[in-house]
Amino acid sequence: MKPIDLFSIHTCSNRHQAQSEALKGPKWKPPTSSFISRVAASLDSLLFSFFLLRLPPSLIVPSSSPFSSTCSDPPTSSPGTQVGKMADQCALRVMRELRQFAQSDDLAIDISYKEDNTRELKALIIGPPDTPYAQGFYQFLIRIPPEYPEKPPIVTLQTTNNGRTRFGPNLYASGKVCLSILGTWPGESNEQWSPVLGLETVLRSIQSLLAAKPYNLEPGFENKDDKDNSELYNAKIHHENIRLTVLVPLEKAFEIKIPQLNMRLGQGSHRGANPYQLDSGVPEAPFHPFLDTYKRRFLWYLESYKMAIQRGLDNKKARARRSFPLMPFECADNIMGGYWDYEDMKKRLGSLEMRIMKETNEWPDQGKDKDQKGHPLAASLRAQCQQITRQLTQRTEGMVLLELVNDNPFLWRLIYHGRPMTQYDGGVLKIKIFISPNHPAEQPRVILETPLYHVRVSPQNVLIYLPLRADEMSRHVDGIISSLEEDRPPVNPLMTVNPEASALCWGSKEEQRQYSRKLRRSVAATLE
């Protein structure tokens, strides 16, 4: 996909171009400038009025408002008209940027909003690999002021442990995000907000704060050679990244009781407060916009979480129940306080794995009830399966089959016969597609019945794939097949579901040969 140009604020109309082409001809004479001005003004007014009809009400200035204006309003310098023009500009800009985000295939950033209020957005940023924030889930609330893009958006971090945990020098426990382009931190003139910047720039800048060495992001510590403190700071962020951004939100979603630990006073204490308590402070944001994303990514990154916890258990400086050390710049109520407790986190991770798999296995039964009651979703899924089955039979000459398991439209089985002269030659893969009764709000979960050593298959046999459209099951089936047939998929750390296989697949020539041998052995085992 081509890079998204969020900086361009110029738009064009195909309708204008078509009308210009229609005017061309050997006998055509250029119209007068006044005629062109009248036509352009009429077209602009008509197009803008049509655009406003498609906008959510929250972005339209009511006609009864003293600040309302239209493209055909006569020029005026009254404050009301200027505010109306700003609101129009804000509406156009936000809608255009949201459309561009919808077309993006970036796995690190997601945006959610209600259609009746696109001035209040929620963003999810996945912690970058090779940082203490790796595969963590960080939510932000973005409020768009009416003066946008003349003024920057207002951004608040909502992953704060109820206002108790500071996740970095620039990410305060209060939710404040210190960033010069947001106007929350002083900077050079070339680091300030400009109308040419946009939401993508803001989110990329925030993403850069989830750095490999956050200790050096503190002002005055940029060039400080303090290896011990830097490593300790990374270690406690690594701990809380898994506990607070992965475990706690999912435990809340499943209504699992969260452990309450008694915090001793002393180093790392929060003035006697318990950072593990979640019953006071700044309230966390409603979790639901990204709930399905959290669950799916949990299954993707489960092996990475297990490895991260094991590294914590092996770290002698992170002995169980010892308080986190305070950094020189942590003070008052803006700290990351807590205990090391990887043993407890290991148990909680295992409990969540079982709970999500239990939910997945419950979907077919819940869907069967809908099917018996004649629910439209059940009928639609059955019809889609029949159509896709016919298409696959024709397209693959019977090498790929699709069927309903126990005649249940919410549980599909894809049978993939390995093509000759490929890495799957002679093998037969059986893959279950679990479809939620809330589809497409919840996306299917795909699990192999026959274990496969593959860069896109987790050790728990969960297949990772990317459908071109989330609401069409045919796109999901295509995505599954494409993911399996990628011989050497491009390196993408955010799609690493099997760290060992990924290291071999993207490693040296010898490691790649080792990967191929392991893959072939697992394919041969499908016939046993």
Side-chain angles (χ1 to χ4, degrees):
M1 180 176 292
K2 294 182 179 179
I4 296 174
D5 180 14
L6 287 175
F7 299 159
S8 171
I9 59 172
H10 175 73
T11 58
C12 64
S13 169
N14 291 335
R15 189 181 302 176
H16 285 182
Q17 295 175 356
Q19 289 175 346
S20 297
E21 291 295 323
L23 290 174
K24 292 180 181 180
K27 296 181 180 180
W28 178 76
K29 294 181 180 181
T32 64
S33 59
S34 61
F35 175 79
I36 293 175
S37 298
R38 290 196 302 273
V39 171
S42 298
L43 283 172
D44 285 343
S45 177
L46 185 63
L47 286 171
F48 189 73
S49 298
F50 174 75
F51 181 81
L52 287 179
L53 289 174
R54 301 176 62 85
L55 286 179
S58 63
L59 293 180
I60 303 177
V61 180
S63 58
S64 59
S65 167
F67 301 140
S68 63
S69 66
T70 65
C71 292
S72 58
D73 287 340
T76 176
S77 58
S78 68
T81 302
Q82 293 300 320
V83 173
K85 287 183 177 179
M86 284 184 180
D88 293 343
Q89 185 183 30
C90 173
L92 289 165
R93 178 67 173 265
V94 171
M95 290 301 294
R96 182 167 56 82
E97 292 192 37
L98 290 177
R99 283 198 304 271
Q100 291 170 329
F101 265 108
Q103 298 169 359
S104 172
D105 57 0
D106 192 331
L107 293 175
I109 298 175
D110 196 6
I111 287 184
S112 177
Y113 58 93
K114 294 181 179 179
E115 291 187 1
D116 62 349
N117 186 9
T118 50
R119 289 258 299 279
E120 186 170 293
L121 316 172
K122 293 190 177 181
L124 175 66
I125 297 180
I126 308 296
D130 301 320
T131 72
Y133 304 94
Q135 283 105 21
F137 306 128
Y138 294 85
Q139 282 197 58
F140 297 83
L141 176 64
I142 304 175
R143 293 187 176 94
I144 308 294
E147 301 86 358
Y148 183 80
E150 295 301 320
K151 290 186 177 180
I154 302 165
V155 183
T156 305
L157 173 65
Q158 295 192 305
T159 305
T160 63
N161 188 23
N162 287 341
R164 295 176 180 271
T165 299
R166 181 185 186 182
F167 266 101
N170 305 77
L171 302 171
Y172 285 15
S174 64
K176 180 180 179 180
V177 179
C178 287
L179 207 56
S180 56
I181 64 170
L182 296 178
T184 53
W185 183 258
E188 301 296 331
S189 58
N190 62 345
E191 297 173 345
Q192 303 300 316
W193 176 260
S194 166
V196 300
L197 303 178
L199 294 175
E200 184 182 30
T201 308
V202 169
L203 293 172
R204 295 290 181 205
S205 299
I206 294 173
Q207 188 182 39
S208 71
L209 301 179
L210 306 177
K213 294 183 178 180
Y215 185 84
N216 297 117
L217 294 180
E218 175 69 21
F221 289 73
E222 297 91 338
N223 302 312
K224 202 169 184 66
D225 186 14
D226 192 350
K227 183 178 179 182
D228 289 343
N229 268 339
S230 180
E231 289 181 352
L232 282 172
Y233 195 48
N234 272 24
K236 68 177 184 175
I237 291 176
H238 174 271
H239 184 281
E240 298 299 79
N241 176 64
I242 298 174
R243 186 178 75 87
L244 292 176
T245 81
V246 179
L247 299 181
V248 168
L250 284 169
E251 287 168 338
K252 281 185 179 181
F254 284 115
E255 299 181 349
I256 297 173
K257 186 177 180 180
I258 299 171
Q260 302 290 314
L261 302 180
N262 294 320
M263 184 73 173
R264 290 186 307 232
L265 296 176
Q267 187 181 31
S269 69
H270 189 47
R271 291 189 174 181
N274 180 0
Y276 286 79
Q277 283 184 323
L278 302 174
D279 55 358
S280 62
V282 179
E284 295 283 352
F287 183 73
H288 301 293
F290 303 112
L291 180 55
D292 185 55
T293 301
Y294 274 55
K295 291 177 181 178
R296 283 187 292 116
R297 294 298 184 92
F298 178 89
L299 292 175
W300 287 15
Y301 304 143
L302 179 56
E303 194 65 20
S304 294
Y305 295 145
K306 289 182 177 181
M307 293 171 64
I309 288 176
Q310 188 58 50
R311 287 195 299 271
L313 288 169
D314 296 338
N315 185 354
K316 295 181 180 180
K317 294 181 180 180
R319 290 183 180 176
R321 299 305 176 94
R322 281 193 177 182
S323 300
F324 292 156
L326 280 179
M327 297 296 107
F329 50 79
E330 290 185 304
C331 59
D333 58 352
N334 197 23
I335 68 171
M336 176 178 278
Y339 274 118
W340 308 106
D341 202 345
Y342 280 108
E343 286 287 354
D344 178 65
M345 287 165 55
K346 184 177 181 179
K347 296 176 185 175
R348 292 163 66 181
L349 187 78
S351 296
L352 276 175
E353 177 185 358
M354 290 190 292
R355 185 64 188 86
I356 292 178
M357 293 310 299
K358 179 175 182 290
E359 178 187 69
T360 304
N361 287 309
E362 287 172 349
W363 281 359
D365 292 335
Q366 296 168 0
K368 192 68 174 178
D369 291 339
K370 284 197 170 188
D371 186 33
Q372 292 172 351
K373 294 176 182 178
H375 194 282
L377 176 58
S380 172
L381 290 173
R382 188 180 295 277
Q384 288 184 66
C385 184
Q386 292 172 351
Q387 182 180 12
I388 298 168
T389 299
R390 290 193 296 268
Q391 293 172 347
L392 284 176
T393 301
Q394 296 173 358
R395 197 173 73 198
T396 67
E397 298 180 344
M399 299 295 288
V400 181
L401 305 175
L402 189 65
E403 63 184 17
L404 299 182
V405 179
N406 298 326
D407 196 39
N408 189 336
F410 292 85
L411 181 58
W412 299 9
R413 177 182 284 117
L414 187 146
I415 303 173
Y416 183 95
H417 294 85
R419 303 174 190 275
M421 307 300 292
T422 69
Q423 56 192 0
Y424 298 111
D425 190 353
V428 179
L429 305 181
K430 294 182 179 180
I431 305 165
K432 280 186 175 179
I433 304 172
F434 293 81
I435 304 174
S436 167
N438 298 316
H439 178 81
E442 288 180 310
Q443 291 295 289
R445 297 172 191 167
V446 179
I447 300 175
L448 276 76
E449 295 181 78
T450 46
L452 182 69
Y453 190 87
H454 191 276
V455 69
R456 293 288 186 247
V457 179
S458 77
Q460 295 76 32
N461 298 322
V462 175
L463 174 70
I464 179 176
Y465 69 99
L466 299 174
L468 292 178
R469 282 183 60 110
D471 57 342
E472 295 182 7
M473 284 305 301
S474 62
R475 301 290 189 171
H476 286 275
V477 172
D478 287 344
I480 292 168
I481 295 172
S482 296
S483 189
L484 285 172
E485 292 184 341
E486 281 186 299
D487 189 26
R488 284 287 183 269
V491 177
N492 187 341
L494 286 173
M495 293 183 71
T496 299
V497 296
N498 189 331
E500 179 189 292
S502 297
L504 294 178
C505 180
W506 298 324
S508 65
K509 293 291 187 182
E510 175 55 35
E511 288 171 326
Q512 291 177 17
R513 285 192 288 270
Q514 187 179 351
Y515 169 77
S516 297
R517 287 194 294 270
K518 288 193 172 188
L519 172 59
R520 284 295 306 151
R521 281 199 293 268
S522 67
V523 170
T526 64
L527 297 176
E528 296 176 359

